[in-house]
Amino acid sequence: MENKQLNRGAGVLMPISSLPSSYGIGTIGAAAYSFVDMLVDLKQRYWQILPIGPTNFGNSPYQPVSAFAGNNYLIDLDALVADGLLTLDEIRSVNWGNNDEDIDYASMYTNRTNILRIAFSRFDITSNAYEEFVQNNHYWLDDYALFRALKKYHNDKEWTLWENCYKNREPKALEAISQELAESIEFYKFCQFEFFFQWQKLLSYANQKGLSIIGDIPFYVAHDSSDVWAHKELFQLLSDGTPRLVSAVPPDAFSSTGQIWGSPVYDWNEMELQGFDWWKSRFAMASKLFNVIRLDHFIAIVKYFAVNPASSSSIAGRWYKGMGKKFIDAIVPALGDAQAIIDDAGPKTIVPGVKKLTKKIGYPTCKILLLGLISDTYNDNLPHNFSMGNTILYTTNHDTETLKGYLTEHSESEMRFLYDYMASENKAELADMIIRLAYGSCADVVIVPMQDLLELGNEARMNAPSTIGGNWQWRISQHTLSKERSDWIRKLAYTYRR
């Protein structure tokens, strides 16, 4: 297979939701365009974001309510004002939360939906652009909009608690309720139209500036999602619709007790019988949204780890065989012009086929420098263990502590190897030394989270695996890069030919 090595460069990891905003959460609005301009000014080539699908309880973007839909929260309200669908008074009269460095998801859930309904009431659903969008996306949009409308109709109960006729998707029942909920269904389609219209404008702007956007495909979807409800046969479910097994990971660098993610695992035999069509559609959609697609949790393609839903710990789980190269061969054509990178994190001693498969298919793999610096000299996240090229190196990522957070909160003994590797014990300088080490490595692309560039501690951590509450909420407010800091980043990009 043709090698898909990325152009040498540097970039920043910054979720859309974390951008500054007056309306409680970052959006695809003016701040996103300003962020593009800032990255270009800093001589960056890549902007990596987290998944942009609709979130559920827990707010994790890695357990979306739909594998295809966009997150309503990210729709720019100012653009709707410009289009005459809202007024400034209407959006400014809403309480979007009291902390501009935090996302109040409870407020988002109620207020964002209400304000979007006002915009929908003024929208022309007979417009050619809207009708074309609905027609071109019917293969996922119809199920998604009906699912969301039925969720609202059932006071947000999980679909397994609905009446059997809706839970089991009986055609006559769905036809009747679709007529009854027609306005609600249309509303959810309108939200998707606005999201994708705004997203394509931002993507085009970034690309015209020479910036590529790296986007995530979460490996799993939430059990309470339109995909599981509409395609039960593709998941390992019991007769009542509840999962037979749920996704998990054994103890690892992120959690000493492992993690139970709770998403239903796939029925790979049925996926194969259907020609992996659902996955092909996912990749085809992602190729329209991103220049580079990050395939999350790649290890599960070779072997996936799962537990009984009743388990309280992942220690009770076990490994199951995945689809391997058959899956890759099926979905690669759906990538179109997009490139791909692989998140191959996981216990390669248990799943040795991961290295073999990644080498065979030729896509770059992701490394996290901090995980190597807190381990030992054999860790494959350390630059001296890289093969030349085909590597995407992160200083930290959405699941780890920030650089400053780690250096501040851990003991001297825990940092002994880090001190030796960096040949320094000067904590005031170590974080920037680590960033410089990443830039100077042979990795094709270096990605530094915005928190590390801003020298923020663990108060700005995006997610602490295996913990409940407080995750996925960080956003930027008054934090800006100083001229001195900006000059330093530009100089790194020039010095190391990025």
Side-chain angles (χ1 to χ4, degrees):
M1 182 177 291
E2 181 186 353
N3 188 283
K4 298 291 185 179
Q5 193 166 340
L6 296 183
N7 292 328
R8 184 174 175 84
V12 175
L13 172 58
M14 177 68 168
I16 299 293
S17 60
S18 296
L19 291 167
S21 167
S22 299
Y23 311 123
I25 192 171
T27 70
I28 318 167
Y33 288 82
S34 295
F35 195 76
V36 168
D37 293 340
M38 185 195 75
L39 293 181
V40 172
D41 179 61
L42 294 176
K43 307 304 180 187
Q44 304 293 291
R45 295 178 183 264
Y46 300 94
W47 177 9
Q48 179 164 344
I49 59 174
L50 294 183
I52 53 177
T55 54
N56 208 333
F57 298 109
N59 309 312
S60 172
Y62 288 93
Q63 289 191 317
V65 175
S66 166
F68 300 90
N71 191 335
N72 294 355
Y73 297 163
L74 306 184
I75 295 172
D76 178 38
L77 301 183
D78 287 322
L80 300 184
V81 172
D83 290 341
L85 301 178
L86 292 172
T87 68
L88 281 174
D89 286 343
E90 286 169 337
I91 56 178
R92 289 174 178 173
S93 66
V94 175
N95 177 13
W96 297 111
N98 301 317
N99 187 347
D100 60 3
E101 295 184 0
D102 187 78
I103 299 169
D104 182 345
Y105 281 103
S107 172
M108 284 296 108
Y109 178 76
T110 301
N111 294 332
R112 188 57 64 118
T113 300
N114 290 343
I115 206 75
L116 288 173
R117 285 189 179 278
I118 295 173
F120 170 64
S121 71
R122 298 165 183 158
F123 180 74
D124 179 12
I125 62 172
T126 65
S127 70
N128 291 337
Y130 177 72
E131 289 182 346
E132 183 179 353
F133 171 80
V134 170
Q135 181 178 354
N136 290 343
N137 293 278
H138 71 89
Y139 63 94
W140 64 268
L141 185 60
D142 292 347
D143 286 329
Y144 169 75
L146 177 56
F147 175 81
R148 293 298 297 265
L150 278 168
K151 282 274 290 181
K152 184 72 174 176
Y153 178 76
H154 288 97
N155 296 314
D156 289 320
K157 290 180 181 178
E158 294 185 13
W159 64 266
T160 53
L161 302 178
W162 299 350
E163 298 92 330
N164 284 335
C165 61
Y166 303 135
K167 181 170 70 172
N168 298 325
R169 294 175 56 86
E170 295 176 9
K172 288 185 178 180
L174 292 188
E175 182 179 355
I177 198 66
S178 293
Q179 294 178 11
E180 182 179 344
L181 302 180
E183 184 178 24
S184 182
I185 291 169
E186 208 72 64
F187 165 71
Y188 288 108
K189 291 182 179 181
F190 155 77
C191 290
Q192 291 307 299
F193 169 77
E194 289 293 343
F195 176 90
F196 285 103
F197 177 75
Q198 292 184 10
W199 181 260
Q200 288 298 333
K201 286 181 66 177
L202 176 64
L203 177 65
S204 177
Y205 182 82
N207 292 168
Q208 288 171 10
K209 295 276 188 173
L211 189 73
S212 294
I213 292 184
I214 303 175
D216 240 315
I217 286 191
F219 189 77
Y220 290 113
V221 295
H223 174 248
D224 193 22
S225 67
S226 59
D227 301 279
V228 179
W229 174 67
H231 303 283
K232 300 181 189 69
E233 75 282 0
L234 298 180
F235 300 85
Q236 296 188 36
L237 305 176
L238 299 175
S239 59
D240 63 355
T242 57
R244 186 174 72 83
L245 293 170
V246 295
S247 58
V249 288
D252 60 10
F254 294 112
S255 173
S256 60
T257 58
Q259 304 169 56
I260 297 179
W261 292 339
S263 295
V265 297
Y266 298 114
D267 185 329
W268 285 113
N269 290 330
E270 183 62 31
M271 287 274 188
E272 185 177 15
L273 286 174
Q274 294 191 19
F276 302 104
D277 287 343
W278 182 79
W279 275 101
K280 289 177 183 177
S281 295
R282 287 191 75 183
F283 274 84
M285 170 67 83
S287 70
K288 298 174 184 176
L289 299 178
F290 315 122
N291 305 114
V292 183
I293 300 168
R294 175 183 175 274
L295 179 54
D296 175 56
H297 198 49
F298 182 85
I299 192 172
I301 293 172
V302 180
K303 279 187 179 181
Y304 63 94
F305 193 80
V307 299
N308 185 293
S311 299
S312 58
S313 167
S314 72
I315 295 172
R318 54 163 287 199
W319 292 96
Y320 298 84
K321 186 178 180 181
M323 288 308 298
K325 194 169 183 295
K326 281 193 291 188
F327 170 80
I328 296 297
D329 289 342
I331 58 91
V332 162
L335 285 170
D337 294 331
Q339 294 176 285
I341 60 177
I342 291 171
D343 165 35
D344 64 339
K348 298 178 185 61
T349 53
I350 298 175
V351 192
V354 172
K355 280 190 174 182
K356 182 179 179 181
L357 183 57
T358 55
K359 184 176 181 180
K360 184 176 293 184
I361 64 178
Y363 287 118
T365 57
C366 300
K367 308 298 180 187
I368 303 169
L369 186 49
L370 180 64
L371 296 188
L373 292 171
I374 62 177
S375 182
D376 59 60
T377 191
Y378 295 99
N379 191 287
D380 63 4
N381 290 287
L382 292 171
H384 69 260
N385 291 324
F386 295 172
S387 299
M388 286 298 292
N390 253 19
T391 299
I392 313 299
L393 179 59
Y394 299 79
T395 51
T396 61
N397 78 351
H398 60 275
D399 279 335
T400 71
E401 297 177 80
T402 67
L403 288 178
K404 182 179 178 182
Y406 182 83
L407 294 171
T408 301
E409 299 185 16
H410 287 261
S411 68
E412 299 296 303
S413 60
E414 289 176 299
M415 289 191 280
R416 190 67 263 163
F417 179 72
L418 186 155
Y419 287 157
D420 290 341
Y421 198 87
M422 301 305 299
S424 174
E425 297 185 20
N426 186 339
K427 289 188 178 182
E429 296 181 357
L430 268 173
D432 283 355
M433 290 176 66
I434 292 169
I435 294 173
R436 180 180 289 276
L437 173 65
Y439 265 75
S441 73
C442 68
D444 294 320
V445 177
V446 170
I447 302 290
V448 181
M450 194 63 185
Q451 295 96 316
D452 287 346
L453 292 182
L454 291 169
E455 303 174 278
L456 300 178
N458 283 339
E459 74 280 357
R461 184 174 182 171
M462 204 68 201
N463 179 51
S466 76
T467 65
I468 298 174
N471 295 316
W472 314 110
Q473 294 178 200
W474 174 76
R475 63 188 180 112
I476 195 171
S477 60
Q478 77 275 14
H479 296 299
T480 55
L481 293 171
S482 65
K483 181 181 183 304
E484 180 183 24
R485 191 76 173 162
S486 297
D487 289 343
W488 180 71
I489 296 165
R490 283 190 213 96
K491 189 173 182 180
L492 284 181
Y494 172 78
T495 302
Y496 296 107
R497 195 173 55 81
R498 295 202 177 274

